[in-house]
Amino acid sequence: MTSYQRVTGMRDVLFDDQPYWRYILEKIQQTTDLFGYRRLDTPVLEQANLFIRGVGEGTDIVEKEMYLFEDRDGDYLALRPEFTAGIMRAYIENGLHTLPPPLRVWTTGPLFRHERPQAGRYRQHSQFDIEVIGEQDPAVDVEVISLAWHLFTALGFFGLRLYINSTGCPQCKPAYIQTLVDYFTQFAGKLPPDDQMRLKKNPLRILDSKEEATQPLLEHAPRITDHLCKECETHFSKLKSYLEAIDRPYIVDYRIVRGLDYYTKTVFEIKADGLGSQDTICGGGRYDGLIEELGGQPTPGIGFGSGIERYVIALRHLGVMPPPEPLPQVTVSYLGEAAKLVALKLAESLREANIGAQFTPGDRSFKAQLKAANRLNAKFAIILGENEINAGQALVRDMANSEQTPVDLTEVVSWLTERL
RNA sequence: GUGGCUAUGGCUCAAUGGUAGAGCACCUGGUUGUGGCCCAGGAGGUUGUGGGUUCGAGCCCCACUAGCCACCCCA
C-alpha cells in the first residue's frame, strides 16, 4: 500500500466524474446568466469569528464541525464551512450596498466541515450558492427557488420535490418555541433520550426527529405556521401564492428546521432520489437579520447552498449522461529519430491550427502507437516513417475504415481541416 | 461523537488453518512500418498497520488506521 492516502472525507475527482463537473458548471453559468446573477468569489479562509458570529455559536457547524487553526501570525482562522457569512462580509467590507439593490450574486467552490463521512457527505464538498441581498419581497424568495429549479431541469433532473416552511422571525419565533417546549414537556416521559436532549438544547429539532416513539406526538404538535406574527404570516402566504402563480408545485413541511441560526421567514429544501439518507440537493432560506448581526446596516437577504457532489450522484442514479469530454481527434506517430522531429513539428502545427492533436511518444512500434490512437478514439492517425519523410509526405490513416492517404506535409493541416 | 459492515495486484473479486489466483487494465510478441477481434507470453502482492493464538495465519483473536452505510446533522 502507498504510504500516503487521502485525508478522511476528502476525495479525488477522477476522469469518470469530470464530464459531470464540466457539464454542471456550464449549466450553472447559463442559468445564472439567464437570471442576471453575477459571480462573487470569497476566500476559502476567513476569521473564525465571522462564522461563529454569523452561523451561530450553538450550531453543529460551529460547535463541532469547523476546521480551525491558528496561522503563523497567531490569527484564529477557519476553513469556510458555508458561503453566506463570507459573502455578507464581502458585501459589507466592499460597500456593495452602494450598488443598485437587490444585489444578486452566485458563487461556487469548496466548503469544509469535519463531519463523519457517508453517502453524499464529505468533509470537503462543493456547493453552488446564490444570494440576493437587499430585498424583502417574497417575490425574490420565489425567484431564488425558480433559479434552482431551472438549473435542475436544465441538468436533466426529474422527480425532485420542493419543500417550504417559514421559520418565523425574532418577533414570533421565541413564543412559538415556548409553545413547543410546553407541548413536549407534558410528554417528556415518553420521549426517547435523543429527543429529551433536543427538548433542552434545540426544541425545534424535535420536529425533525426520526425517533419512532416521537412520531405520534408530532402529529398534534403545534406548528409554526399557526404561530407566525402578522408580517411573517403575510410573507409566507404571498410566497405560496407566488409559487402557485409560476406553477411551481411545493409541499409545506412544518418539520423543515434549518441548522443555521440566521434563518428567518422562508426556509426551503429540494430533495432528489438516489442519494441514500442525505437526499437534500438544495437548501436555503431568508436571513433578514444577518447583515446587521455582522456589523452592516439592517439589510434583508435570501439564498441557498446546493451540493454539487450530490448532483453527480443523483444524475448518475437517474441515468443522465453528460456530454463526453472533447478529446483530440488526431494522433501523430513516427518511426525513427528523423521522423520524430517532423512529427513533433507537425503536432505543433495542428494545435496552432486548433486541431486537437496528440503526439504518441516513447519510440514505440507503429502497432503500439496506433493502439494509442485507437484508445483515444481518434478519427485520424498520422503516420510518419522513413518513406514519408523522404517523400515530404505524411500518411493519414482514417481510423474508422483504415484507409490511408498520403498527404504533402504542407497540406496536412488543410486536408484535416476539411475533414474534421 | 455513536453503531453496523468491510479491508487480497491499478480496478472488480476468488482462495475447507497448509505453495496467493482469475477477469479487466497495462507491456511484449504472433506483421521489415500498422489499431479494434483472437492467440501466446510478461510485469505487477512483505494479503491496510501492529500484536497474539498455532507446527503453520489471507483465513482465528485483539488493537489501531482507513473505507462504506446509518445515527447525529447537513449540501
Side-chain angles (χ1 to χ4, degrees):
Chain A
M1 283 285 106
T2 50
S3 38
Y4 293 103
Q5 50 188 14
R6 287 183 292 266
V7 171
T8 297
M10 308 282 157
R11 300 185 337 131
D12 300 314
V13 182
L14 300 181
F15 312 111
D16 287 352
D17 273 356
Q18 292 295 350
Y20 285 94
W21 284 82
R22 181 195 280 247
Y23 170 66
I24 289 163
L25 257 294
E26 193 180 279
K27 294 295 181 194
I28 286 174
Q29 305 246 27
Q30 290 169 1
T31 303
T32 50
D33 285 349
L34 196 62
F35 280 75
Y37 284 60
R38 302 175 73 189
R39 182 156 182 170
L40 183 147
D41 291 327
T42 60
V44 170
L45 288 173
E46 297 276 2
Q47 299 288 344
N49 284 336
L50 172 67
F51 300 115
I52 295 170
R53 192 69 186 273
V55 176
E57 206 150 358
T59 60
D60 279 10
I61 286 181
V62 166
E63 208 166 69
K64 48 193 194 193
E65 294 174 3
M66 273 210 289
Y67 279 89
L68 294 167
F69 67 98
E70 203 173 289
D71 78 357
R72 288 165 189 272
D73 298 325
D75 290 333
Y76 189 42
L77 304 180
L79 283 168
R80 62 185 179 197
E82 59 109 48
F83 278 121
T84 305
I87 290 178
M88 295 313 122
R89 191 224 81 233
Y91 175 83
I92 298 165
E93 185 170 353
N94 295 294
L96 302 184
H97 63 277
T98 58
L99 295 172
L103 187 68
R104 294 172 164 102
V105 301
W106 72 278
T107 197
T108 187
L111 302 176
F112 302 84
R113 295 178 195 172
H114 193 102
E115 300 178 274
R116 192 71 178 265
Q118 71 182 77
R121 171 194 288 165
Y122 311 104
R123 288 186 178 178
Q124 176 180 335
H125 77 282
S126 298
Q127 286 186 20
F128 163 52
D129 184 273
I130 283 290
E131 311 289 348
V132 180
I133 308 167
E135 180 54 68
Q136 38 74 37
D137 187 338
V140 302
D141 304 30
V142 171
E143 176 179 299
V144 156
I145 291 168
S146 164
L147 188 154
W149 206 272
H150 186 96
L151 171 65
F152 296 143
T153 303
L155 283 170
F157 273 103
F158 50 90
L160 299 179
R161 286 93 56 196
L162 166 66
Y163 298 89
I164 62 168
N165 193 20
S166 175
T167 189
C169 69
Q171 296 303 312
C172 50
K173 198 176 190 173
Y176 168 69
I177 292 175
Q178 191 53 53
T179 315
L180 195 66
V181 170
D182 291 345
Y183 171 81
F184 278 107
T185 302
Q186 40 173 335
F187 304 112
K190 288 186 178 175
L191 288 175
D194 277 6
D195 283 331
Q196 304 221 14
M197 269 307 285
R198 293 187 175 102
L199 183 57
K200 285 194 189 130
K201 246 190 98 186
N202 193 343
L204 288 174
R205 288 256 157 255
I206 296 183
L207 298 174
D208 209 17
S209 173
K210 287 163 198 155
E211 299 285 346
E212 235 171 89
T214 310
Q215 300 310 311
L217 303 177
L218 280 172
E219 289 193 22
H220 300 100
R223 303 189 177 186
I224 184 146
T225 42
D226 298 326
H227 294 78
L228 294 172
C229 64
K230 190 80 194 150
E231 187 185 316
C232 288
E233 165 63 38
T234 305
H235 190 95
F236 193 51
S237 65
K238 281 188 176 171
L239 170 70
K240 288 184 285 187
S241 68
Y242 295 171
L243 282 171
E244 281 150 25
I246 65 166
D247 297 319
R248 173 86 291 113
Y250 61 86
I251 301 158
V252 175
D253 186 348
Y254 65 93
R255 285 171 312 185
I256 293 183
V257 180
R258 315 230 71 248
L260 291 69
D261 279 0
Y262 53 61
Y263 284 117
T264 57
K265 295 194 172 75
T266 307
V267 287
F268 68 95
E269 293 183 359
I270 297 172
K271 290 175 185 280
D273 292 329
L275 284 163
S277 67
Q278 309 303 319
D279 59 353
T280 300
I281 60 167
C282 180
R286 184 162 274 287
Y287 43 83
D288 289 346
L290 178 59
I291 291 173
E292 189 176 6
E293 177 73 23
L294 294 175
Q297 294 300 306
T299 310
I302 180 167
F304 67 72
S306 193
I308 296 178
E309 285 80 0
R310 290 184 185 176
Y311 295 5
V312 176
I313 295 168
L315 286 171
R316 271 228 168 80
H317 171 79
L318 293 171
V320 175
M321 297 285 290
E325 283 179 303
L327 291 168
Q329 303 198 77
V330 179
T331 60
V332 184
S333 303
Y334 63 93
L335 216 55
E337 198 60 21
K340 187 173 190 175
L341 299 179
V342 177
L344 279 167
K345 176 69 181 140
L346 182 56
E348 198 70 3
S349 307
L350 289 170
R351 294 174 203 127
E352 277 164 16
N354 208 29
I355 295 172
Q358 203 164 74
F359 184 73
T360 59
D363 302 335
R364 279 190 243 279
S365 64
F366 269 134
K367 185 186 176 78
Q369 296 187 66
L370 284 172
K371 202 168 186 168
N374 191 55
R375 263 190 303 239
L376 190 66
N377 209 6
K379 278 207 170 65
F380 296 100
I382 294 174
I383 295 168
L384 293 163
E386 221 175 306
N387 302 340
E388 287 73 29
I389 301 304
N390 292 338
Q393 291 182 326
L395 204 52
V396 184
R397 179 181 180 88
D398 184 324
M399 293 298 286
N401 58 20
S402 303
E403 275 174 29
Q404 301 196 149
T405 314
V407 179
D408 283 351
L409 277 172
T410 52
E411 303 295 320
V412 172
V413 169
S414 58
W415 192 94
L416 285 171
T417 304
E418 281 171 32
R419 275 155 249 253
L420 285 173

